[in-house]
Amino acid sequence: MNGSNFAQLLLRRSDFRDSHAQKTFWSGRFEKEELEQVFSWRELNSCLSCNRITNDRFRMSTASEHEEVNRRAFRHARDRFGRTTDHLLINELHVLMREGVTGVLEAVNELVPSVGNLTETLGGTLGAQSTANAYVSFGSISGFGIHNDDHDVIVIQLEGRKRWQFFASSVDAKRKATVKDIQAPSASDRGVELVISSGDVMFVPKGTWHDVIALNEKSLHLTISLVYPTMMDFVQWGLAREKYGLSYHDIRQSCTNREELLKVCENHFQRLITSENLEKFSKTFYAGHASSRIRANFPSLNLAGEEDSFRRISFDIASLDTTTNTNEIDVYALGQIHRLTAVEYKILSQLSSQTMTRGAQLITSENLWADISRALTSLMDKGLVGKQAFV
């Protein structure tokens, strides 16, 4: 089973989809052997042994300390061009693991194809930016202490056990507390405690307070993040659109026009907080972010074949009224404005960001393959379309 197949299994679970939609905790169980085909000790060892791993990719922690353990595991070095970098000492990593630290290999989806397929399928289907981290431990202590995450998380326990301590809501003792219930939980707020083992999968909504404790045995699990834009992002987008707006109204210590300033601020937010602006923000945000990564395609490069498969890289595209030429369309995608031909725009609009489309399926009575092939190559050159070559 590859990552995409497991993602489809999970997405077909109506109880999971309901919990995701309602932002409530969920747990389920899958066959351990199926999950091991997505990621296992073998892939972890390959990642650490066959890649240049620096401290921004792999980090270690205990509930009480993280700086010293990372200093021990990484040696400052210079690359062949003389640039400062660091180097993971595998022997010291093994020692630290025996001492009980928790290690985190970040963005495993960028290193292991099966995990990349998993995050792309989940993120594309659920409309979220998604990455995967691998957590490894051998000790019997908390790796990060009591905390919450600012994004939804899917937890996949691959091997061993972990104890997840949740905290009780003051409103409903059976419900797992979030940042809306408790600002800083303590031992007296402890609630449900779950011990998860190989094959267990959980959905933990953003803001849920928890503490994860190793059980003195080898443990490996993946976390899949699901990140969505927030209302804070919307407000910041609105403020950035009027660069000469609120930032040009000073609040001086001796000012006597405070009511006037507050009125200016109130009027600004009244203009910003509308359904139309929220729709514009959503369109812009999803057009500006990638649903998938572009794969290398040697030796065919960006040449398009009828049997090749294609997908749009951005979640969405936003057309702009900035050209009077009827044969050209300006679109905003992936942080840039691109001028497309009418054929390029039609193809980009037809392609999905979630699933692949064979080149032959794009042929119509109006557009022959020669035109489509040129358009696809141009879109791939711009980084707007990705390809899976036919082998």
Side-chain angles (χ1 to χ4, degrees), residues 134-321:
Y135 288 72
V136 55
S137 63
F138 292 81
S140 57
I141 57 177
S142 170
F144 297 91
I146 301 171
H147 67 285
N148 71 83
D149 297 304
D150 61 0
H151 51 265
D152 295 338
V153 176
I154 297 171
V155 181
I156 304 172
Q157 187 69 27
L158 298 163
E159 184 158 342
R161 299 179 303 155
K162 277 285 183 73
R163 184 167 74 244
W164 283 68
Q165 176 67 65
F166 294 98
F167 296 82
S169 165
S170 57
V171 178
D172 181 357
K174 295 181 180 179
R175 187 163 60 83
K176 295 170 179 62
T178 69
V179 292
K180 296 179 181 179
D181 303 304
I182 308 173
Q183 292 298 306
S186 62
S188 62
D189 299 310
R190 292 183 185 277
V192 174
E193 180 180 286
L194 295 179
V195 175
I196 64 173
S197 58
S198 305
D200 286 331
V201 177
M202 299 189 299
F203 172 70
V204 183
K206 68 183 295 185
T208 301
W209 291 105
H210 60 276
D211 189 10
V212 186
I213 302 98
L215 294 173
N216 204 32
E217 59 185 70
K218 61 182 180 181
S219 172
L220 177 65
H221 75 265
L222 286 177
T223 63
I224 313 299
S225 63
L226 300 172
V227 182
Y228 298 94
T230 68
M231 289 304 292
M232 180 65 77
D233 296 317
F234 170 52
V235 170
Q236 291 174 340
W237 169 83
L239 292 174
R241 293 180 72 201
E242 294 188 25
K243 65 178 181 179
Y244 298 124
L246 296 183
S247 60
Y248 276 72
H249 291 272
D250 297 338
I251 306 174
R252 300 186 180 184
Q253 186 177 15
S254 58
C255 76
T256 57
N257 63 335
R258 294 179 183 269
E259 291 300 321
E260 180 182 334
L261 291 174
L262 289 173
K263 192 63 178 177
V264 168
C265 189
E266 180 183 344
N267 291 338
H268 177 88
F269 279 99
Q270 282 181 346
R271 292 194 303 274
L272 166 63
I273 302 174
T274 65
S275 298
E276 181 183 5
N277 279 338
L278 188 59
E279 178 62 28
K280 286 180 181 178
F281 164 74
S282 179
K283 186 79 171 177
T284 302
F285 181 92
Y286 283 104
H289 289 81
S291 171
S292 60
R293 300 171 67 230
I294 296 176
R295 267 68 166 173
N297 274 292
F298 289 91
S300 62
L301 305 178
N302 285 343
L303 296 178
E306 289 186 46
E307 296 304 314
D308 295 335
S309 296
F310 305 89
R311 73 191 298 176
R312 188 178 68 240
I313 296 299
S314 60
F315 281 98
D316 203 349
I317 54 173
S319 58
L320 307 171
D321 298 325

